[in-house]
Every structure is written in structure tokens, then in C-alpha cells.
Amino acid sequence: MYEQQIREDILFIMLYAGVAVISIIASCYLLFRRGNAFAPDVTTPARLRRSTSAFFASIALSHIWYMPVIFLVSPDAIKEAYLVGGLLDSMTVLPLAIIILISMLQDRKRPLWPVAVMVAPIVVGMLLCVITNDNTLVPMFLVYFLLLGLGIIIYMIHEVRLYGRWLRDNYADLEYKEVWKSFVLLAVILLAFGLYLFDDDGPSYRYIIQAGCVVLIGYLLWRVETLSDLSVSRPQLALVEEEAAAVAENQGDGGLSETVHDNIGTLLQQYCIDTQLYLQHDLTLLQLAKTIGINRFYLSQYFASQGMTYNSYINNLRISHFVSLYREAVSTQRPFTAQELARDSGYRSYSTFSLAFKQRMGQNVTVWMHESNE
């Protein structure tokens, strides 16, 4: 009955085929295009780009597989086709969705074999259902899927928090680097799979799924192309590991000595503040450490001892610079806009500046400027 309704719904069949075509185009675009359309100045992680391309291809193949099912008449043939489709989805769509989430976290290269372990029970179970042509075990797999989704959510909450801390400890500018939006991605994927697994055969179900696929494809394309590649090269990684070993050997269990602490403060004043190096966009902790001639781990510990991150240190200097520019412009009656002063203070994004300003000054920049003029 359900398949007959679909056969008579020409609009849905066109939408269904359209999603398959869009998926193929998106997959080929990520796989073969060099450069980004959404953010031309951003270099995206190759691992994320490849896994997302494979994910789009899996969506297309899934649609292609289920298309003939619409026209099947025999109940046994329909059941077998759905079981095989479920097996293929559990082997491709589900693990690739998890890999995409993992690939967005770039503080370290996480192994992918745990993904295979997580989806193995579903794959083995679906394979058994296909061999026996029996779907009585499917409810058990649905429960496992829900538990798996809950586990992934807990893991992502923990890992994204660690990743955000790593970003603030190493980067002055967070544009195109943060991944909290991956939670939106996770919610969309889980919603789509939940609707797929708990199909109620309702008339709106099939349209919701296809509309969700289109939204997901568009979102993923934007997310992939606007996420900066922060991967560390092997020579850099070797240098960082050598520095960490040197610090551990020379420092022991104690923190920074008072002499080293004061010396770092002097160097920062001389080479970062006096030269206004903090205005350089995308200045990293490693670059600053090389500039002042200090070990990056010592520098990181210095900021920690001050109760701040590297990102907050740079933002404090930039906000102070903005305040100086503002007061100078007001005193000389020079025409200006807050956006212009924000750019001159090292910010490419005004929204990023606004957030940093409110965190530092405790109020919105517009309110602060108005009160300053009174």
C-alpha cells in the first residue's frame, strides 16, 4: 500500500531523484574541485573533504538502490530489498557520518577504527537479517542505534570542549576554526536516521526525509568549505614533541620559575605589545613564541599562570587598541565607524570583535561608545 502511494506521487519521485542527482554533484564537486566556492581564501582539511564526498556518494547510492523498490509488488521482494538497503546504509551512511564529525576535530588525528567497532553490531545483525530474510531482530538494532547516538553525543560534547580549549590556547583568531556547529550537523543526521528507522509510513514522512537530505547536503558543503585546515605538518609536529620533552626534562614537577615568568612578560612587552604584533591576523601561539624566542610550552604556561588563554590575551590587546583608536578619533573629531576601527584593531569579522568586546568590557560596543560620549 505504501509503495503504491509513492508510485502515484509523481512529485515525490521527482524530488527523490533530484536528491540523488544533487548528492552525486556535491560528491564530485568536493572530490574534484580545487579551491572553495563559499570561502575562497580558506584551505579545508583534506580528510574532511574526502569523507564528506564519500558521504554524499553513499546518499546517492542509497537513493539509487531504493528507487526500484518503489515499483516492486511482491511483499517478500519489498522486505528483502529494504533489508539489503538497511545493510548498505549501516555500512556506508552511518559510519561516514561519524567520520565526518571526528574529522572536524583537528587538535589531533583520531583513529577511525573505533567507528568500525561501533557500527559492527548493526552491520552483522542486518547481514543476518538479509541471509534469513527475517526482520524480527530489527527492533533490537533500533535500540542499539539510539544508544549509539547517545554515546556519540556524549563523546562529541567532551571532545568539542577540549577542541575549543585547544583553539583558544593556540590561535588568536577563531574565524573558520570553531566546530560547535557540528552539533547542528549531528542533530540533523540523527533526526534523519531516526525518521528513517522509525518510519510510520505517514504521508509527510517521505517529504521530510528528502527535504532533510537537501538541507544536510547544503549545510555540509558550507561547513566543509568554511573550516580552516589546522593540521600540523610532520616537521612541526616533531619540533613540538622535542620542545615538550625539553620542557618536561628541565622543568620537572614545578611550574614556571619567577625569573622565567618575568622574562616572558618583558619579551611580550618588547616584541608583541610595543611592535603591535598582536594586530597581525591569524597570529598563532607558535609564531609568537618564535618571535620572542621562547619555548611555546613555556609561553602557554605563562598565559595559564595569568588565568587566561592565548586567544584572550590577544583579544585584550586588540580591544585596548580599539579603545585607543576610538578616543583618538573622538578627540580629533575624525569621522569613523566601529567597523573601521575593528578592522584596524586586527579583526576581520565584526561579529567576532563584538563578542570579544563584550567579554572584555562587559557591555555592547554600541552602548559603550554612547556612554563614552556622555
Side-chain angles (χ1 to χ4, degrees), residues 245-267:
V247 171
E249 181 179 351
N250 296 329
Q251 185 174 307
D253 296 329
L256 288 176
S257 67
E258 185 176 346
T259 302
V260 173
H261 185 281
D262 294 340
N263 185 41
I264 292 177
T266 301
L267 290 171

Side-chain angles (χ1 to χ4, degrees), residues 224-243:
V224 170
E225 295 215 332
T226 56
L227 187 64
S228 292
D229 184 7
L230 307 179
S231 58
V232 180
S233 64
R234 290 187 179 275
Q236 287 178 317
L237 184 60
L239 176 62
V240 168
E241 291 174 347
E242 290 177 6
E243 288 180 346

Side-chain angles (χ1 to χ4, degrees), residues 5-25:
Q5 292 176 353
I6 296 179
R7 284 195 295 269
E8 296 174 353
D9 192 341
I10 304 301
L11 180 61
F12 170 76
I13 294 177
M14 293 176 61
L15 175 61
Y16 187 89
V19 172
V21 172
I22 292 173
S23 301
I24 294 173
I25 294 174

Side-chain angles (χ1 to χ4, degrees), residues 86-87 90 94 118-127 141 144-145 148:
L87 173 62
S90 63
L94 179 57
M118 286 187 285
V119 301
I122 297 180
V123 173
V124 173
M126 290 303 300
L127 180 60
F141 306 145
Y144 179 81
F145 171 80
L148 177 61

Side-chain angles (χ1 to χ4, degrees), residues 204-225:
S204 61
Y205 161 78
R206 51 183 181 266
Y207 283 97
I208 292 175
I209 286 293
Q210 301 312 311
C213 285
V214 174
V215 172
L216 180 60
I217 292 170
Y219 172 82
L220 272 177
L221 281 175
W222 173 83
R223 177 72 280 192
V224 170
E225 295 215 332

Side-chain angles (χ1 to χ4, degrees), residues 148-167:
L148 177 61
L150 179 61
I152 294 172
I153 290 175
I154 295 173
Y155 173 80
M156 287 299 298
I157 290 175
H158 178 263
E159 292 300 308
V160 169
R161 289 184 63 185
L162 293 179
Y163 182 71
R165 189 181 308 164
W166 175 78
L167 284 179

Side-chain angles (χ1 to χ4, degrees), residues 92-361:
T92 56
V93 178
L94 179 57
L96 286 170
I98 301 174
I99 290 173
I100 288 174
L101 294 177
I102 294 176
S103 299
M104 289 183 180
L105 305 174
Q106 303 178 69
D107 52 333
R108 58 186 174 88
K109 191 170 184 178
R110 292 165 173 79
L112 299 180
W113 62 264
V115 178
V117 174
M118 286 187 285
V119 301
I122 297 180
V123 173
V124 173
M126 290 303 300
L127 180 60
L128 180 62
C129 289
V130 170
I131 294 175
T132 60
N133 196 24
D134 185 4
N135 57 7
T136 55
L137 295 178
V138 170
M140 296 177 56
F141 306 145
L142 300 184
V143 174
Y144 179 81
F145 171 80
L146 292 178
L147 294 176
L148 177 61
L150 179 61
I152 294 172
I153 290 175
I154 295 173
Y155 173 80
M156 287 299 298
I157 290 175
H158 178 263
E159 292 300 308
V160 169
R161 289 184 63 185
L162 293 179
Y163 182 71
R165 189 181 308 164
W166 175 78
L167 284 179
R168 285 160 179 77
D169 285 340
N170 290 276
Y171 292 91
D173 301 282
L174 303 183
E175 295 96 340
Y176 304 129
K177 298 177 180 65
E178 294 186 286
V179 296
W180 63 266
K181 296 182 181 66
S182 61
F183 284 110
V184 178
L185 166 66
L186 178 60
V188 171
I189 291 176
L190 291 179
L191 175 62
F193 254 83
L195 290 172
Y196 166 71
L197 293 174
F198 297 99
D199 177 9
D200 61 358
D201 289 355
S204 61
Y205 161 78
R206 51 183 181 266
Y207 283 97
I208 292 175
I209 286 293
Q210 301 312 311
C213 285
V214 174
V215 172
L216 180 60
I217 292 170
Y219 172 82
L220 272 177
L221 281 175
W222 173 83
R223 177 72 280 192
V224 170
E225 295 215 332
T226 56
L227 187 64
S228 292
D229 184 7
L230 307 179
S231 58
V232 180
S233 64
R234 290 187 179 275
Q236 287 178 317
L237 184 60
L239 176 62
V240 168
E241 291 174 347
E242 290 177 6
E243 288 180 346
V247 171
E249 181 179 351
N250 296 329
Q251 185 174 307
D253 296 329
L256 288 176
S257 67
E258 185 176 346
T259 302
V260 173
H261 185 281
D262 294 340
N263 185 41
I264 292 177
T266 301
L267 290 171
L268 285 172
Q269 179 68 45
Q270 181 179 358
Y271 293 103
C272 182
I273 299 176
D274 293 345
T275 63
Q276 296 185 339
L277 180 65
Y278 55 86
L279 297 180
Q280 176 182 318
H281 187 73
D282 264 341
L283 178 69
T284 66
L285 177 72
L286 181 58
Q287 291 171 332
L288 179 58
K290 288 182 178 179
T291 300
I292 67 177
I294 197 73
N295 186 290
R296 69 185 294 271
F297 284 94
Y298 283 134
L299 183 57
S300 179
Q301 288 187 338
Y302 170 82
F303 292 130
S305 70
Q306 299 292 99
M308 66 175 68
T309 64
Y310 168 66
N311 177 261
S312 61
Y313 170 77
I314 296 297
N315 273 323
N316 288 341
L317 293 177
R318 289 176 174 176
I319 297 303
S320 297
H321 188 82
F322 173 88
V323 171
S324 298
L325 291 179
Y326 171 78
R327 289 174 176 166
E328 178 184 350
V330 170
S331 63
T332 59
Q333 297 184 344
R334 176 176 64 86
F336 67 90
T337 64
Q339 287 82 356
E340 291 173 345
L341 297 185
R343 283 196 299 269
D344 293 339
S345 300
Y347 291 97
R348 285 185 180 176
S349 168
Y350 185 75
S351 60
T352 300
F353 159 75
S354 298
L355 179 60
F357 187 92
K358 189 171 184 179
Q359 290 175 342
R360 167 70 189 281
M361 307 299 287

